[in-house]
Amino acid sequence: MDSLFFALIILDLVIITGVMGVQDKRFDENYAVTWGNEHVKFVNEGRDIQLSMDPSSGAGFASKLSYRTGFFHMRIKLPAGGCAGVVTAFYLHSHTNKHDELDFEFLGNQKGKPITLQTNVFSNGQGNREQRVILWFDPTADFHNYQILWNEHQIVFYVDDVPIRVFKNNTSIGVNYPSQAMKIEASLWNGEDWATDGGRTKIDWSLSPFRVQFQDFNIDGCSVSTGYQRRNKSITTKSTDRICYSSEYWWNAEKYRNLTPKQQEEYENVRAQYMNYDYCSDRNRYPVQPPECESNI
């Protein structure tokens, strides 16, 4: 009897959260193509995916489940050559009226010029929190790991484990903090109206198709499936919060509430050497600095 009881508990935990630590998942285990099917190619038995874009379309995919906290990661190799106006995106999105969203957006450039990585944070529909860095390597030459840590205390964007952005939970001073369940998404799309030189440099379609590659479809995140909610009517938003904020998940542990001293040093180095735009410093847009800026530095 006891063995059956504990087996059922373990099964429910798998349904709620997904399994952490399982390596090398195929794309279709956690993700599905959402648009541009004819511009999607699977390789390595579905453990790599390539999106392409030409004048007819780009492409995109998303996780099958939505997540409330976690450590979200994707290995990406960006389009090579002249890719001005081409945007590769890896992000979380709630798909609600006043949405939450956490963005990596890679802004393509002319051949020989650096690709800019833009991050943004939306909470309760409020965005306009762009930061931009020039990467310290060529992101078209090989795969690199782009990661988002999201817990109750902070959101951290990483590149190859180096923190490039921190967004603290400042609800105590009236700043909205992302808390809605979000899907993990990626796409390759036409951003020539704004992405390169403020939209002055357009896509050179003679260089198409543009191709971006993705790897690593494992997900470390807390999600309560629709099926589980139907079977357990007592599951509510508040109880889901308690589950997803539990310290039993490694990303919620106390040591992930702040950067380590080494990470803080790396973060400050990125800000000093590679950041070329920060909304917090843009006095034309924000004559009064947004209240979250000081504590997010």
Side-chain angles (χ1 to χ4, degrees), residues 20-21 47 67 85-86 91 93 135 176 194 234 236 249 257:
M20 174 183 159
R47 290 177 172 82
Y67 299 86
V86 177
Y91 58 105
H93 197 291
L135 294 169
N176 290 319
W194 66 277
S234 62
T236 64
Y249 293 109
R257 296 180 182 182

Side-chain angles (χ1 to χ4, degrees), residues 67-72 150-152 220-223 241 243-246 249 251-252:
Y67 299 86
R68 297 186 68 87
T69 60
F71 184 70
F72 307 101
W150 172 31
N151 61 35
E152 188 179 6
D220 294 339
C222 177
S223 174
D241 285 346
I243 293 169
C244 291
Y245 292 157
S246 169
Y249 293 109
W251 56 84
N252 291 329

Side-chain angles (χ1 to χ4, degrees), residues 272-291:
Q273 296 197 43
Y274 302 108
M275 180 172 285
N276 64 1
Y277 178 80
D278 182 1
Y279 77 105
C280 288
S281 303
D282 191 338
R283 289 296 175 265
N284 290 325
R285 291 177 68 192
Y286 297 102
V288 177
Q289 190 179 57

Side-chain angles (χ1 to χ4, degrees), residues 8 65 109 193 244 267 269:
L8 289 172
L65 298 178
N109 212 336
D193 289 344
C244 291
Y267 174 51
N269 180 63

Side-chain angles (χ1 to χ4, degrees), residues 8-19 65-68 221-226 228-229 231-232 235 239-240 243-244 249:
L8 289 172
I9 290 177
I10 292 170
L11 178 60
D12 281 343
L13 285 173
V14 170
I15 293 172
I16 292 174
T17 64
V19 179
L65 298 178
S66 296
Y67 299 86
R68 297 186 68 87
C222 177
S223 174
V224 178
S225 72
T226 302
Y228 186 86
Q229 290 183 21
R231 295 197 313 276
N232 297 269
I235 295 292
S239 59
T240 303
I243 293 169
C244 291
Y249 293 109

Side-chain angles (χ1 to χ4, degrees), residues 34-146:
T34 51
W35 62 284
N37 295 63
E38 68 280 7
H39 289 75
V40 178
K41 179 181 179 181
F42 297 96
V43 295
N44 189 24
E45 298 181 337
R47 290 177 172 82
D48 292 57
I49 185 174
Q50 176 184 279
L51 305 184
S52 65
M53 185 176 74
D54 58 28
S56 67
S57 181
F61 63 86
S63 60
K64 295 178 179 179
L65 298 178
S66 296
Y67 299 86
R68 297 186 68 87
T69 60
F71 184 70
F72 307 101
H73 41 90
M74 196 75 68
R75 288 174 51 79
I76 306 172
K77 183 178 179 182
L78 297 179
C83 56
V86 177
V87 177
T88 301
F90 167 52
Y91 58 105
L92 278 64
H93 197 291
S94 68
H95 293 279
T96 51
N97 287 335
K98 293 187 176 181
H99 70 287
D100 290 351
E101 185 175 343
L102 306 174
D103 293 329
F104 278 116
E105 293 179 307
F106 302 87
L107 312 183
N109 212 336
Q110 295 170 302
K111 187 174 182 179
K113 292 188 177 181
I115 290 175
T116 296
L117 172 54
Q118 174 173 284
T119 59
N120 205 350
V121 175
F122 287 77
S123 51
N124 197 35
Q126 178 188 351
N128 297 321
R129 297 186 174 107
E130 299 91 348
Q131 290 184 355
R132 295 175 184 166
V133 299
I134 300 299
L135 294 169
W136 49 95
F137 52 84
D138 179 359
T140 73
D142 203 351
F143 288 91
H144 290 269
N145 205 6
Y146 303 93

